[in-house]
Amino acid sequence: MDASETVGEDSRGYDGGKSRDGRKRHILTDTEGLLLEVTVTTADVHDSKAAPGLLETFMDQPGRLLKLVWVDSAYQGPALAKAFAGHGVRIEVVRRSDGQRGFVVLARRWVVERTLSWLSRSRRLNRDHERRPDHHQQMVWWAATIRLSRQMAGDAPRRPEKRPDRRPRTRA
């Protein structure tokens, strides 16, 4: 994601593939798209380089268990395979079919993309304003917590005129 001028040069990079200057979020989600772990790196860090650290951070907490992780083709390489094998986690790479062109919804891969979309609805995450990467990481957790609490609350209407038990106030 793009970074504002408050982000120091030491914690920003340039991702040539996406033509973005700033930082990159790497997330781990469950099958429902709920955030399990997040790490923030400079934009020039490749996904396969950030994933082992992301996995280690998640698995360091007691009681954490992963059996299978679906990843896209960017998450390959010997360091990544070693990190996952060290925790007994099986990896399935979700690839597009040979000859496919343009946008195609791929099984399981859309879950992470949907989570990133949910997170980007938070205004604070549309552009990186934090001076430190760990502060931005906490903003991502905050946005995920808001999303989860709204999901737990259900589809309750937010406007008083839509609630049958409350009448809107009238002006005198």
Side-chain angles (χ1 to χ4, degrees):
M1 106 237 36
D2 287 334
S4 70
E5 61 278 351
T6 59
V7 176
E9 293 295 324
D10 60 331
S11 67
R12 69 190 313 162
Y14 183 76
D15 182 4
K18 294 184 179 179
S19 299
R20 296 291 178 138
D21 175 41
R23 295 182 183 142
K24 191 185 288 187
R25 299 178 198 123
H26 305 274
I27 64 171
L28 179 65
T29 67
D30 67 0
T31 56
E32 296 293 321
L34 299 176
L35 190 65
L36 296 177
E37 193 60 57
V38 62
T39 188
V40 177
T41 63
T42 59
D44 56 354
V45 174
H46 192 269
D47 296 340
S48 64
K49 302 291 184 201
L54 179 68
L55 177 70
E56 291 299 325
T57 303
F58 178 74
M59 295 301 280
D60 280 348
Q61 298 295 319
R64 301 286 174 93
L65 176 67
L66 286 177
K67 292 184 178 184
L68 171 66
V69 176
W70 288 291
V71 297
D72 67 9
S73 58
Y75 291 93
Q76 294 180 346
L80 186 58
K82 182 180 176 184
F84 278 96
H87 291 288
V89 178
R90 191 168 55 102
I91 301 174
E92 280 188 24
V93 179
V94 180
R95 291 188 176 90
R96 68 171 59 199
S97 300
D98 294 334
Q100 272 185 335
R101 298 176 58 101
F103 176 76
V104 177
V105 176
L106 298 174
R108 295 296 167 199
R109 197 162 136 190
W110 61 269
V111 176
V112 170
E113 299 302 329
R114 182 182 65 182
T115 302
L116 289 170
S117 174
W118 286 339
L119 293 172
S120 69
R121 292 179 70 190
S122 172
R123 280 185 43 210
R124 188 65 184 231
L125 298 182
N126 282 337
R127 187 170 182 90
D128 186 7
H129 300 282
E130 310 307 323
R131 293 185 187 273
R132 295 176 24 192
D134 58 328
H135 288 181
H136 183 75
Q137 182 178 343
Q138 293 307 314
M139 287 295 166
V140 174
W141 277 113
W142 187 252
T145 303
I146 291 170
R147 167 78 178 109
L148 178 60
S149 65
R150 286 183 179 161
Q151 184 177 355
M152 289 173 61
D155 294 329
R158 294 191 181 108
R159 295 185 206 103
E161 64 270 12
K162 301 291 183 184
R163 295 183 186 167
D165 59 326
R166 295 182 77 189
R167 292 188 208 149
R169 291 184 185 178
T170 57
R171 293 187 180 183

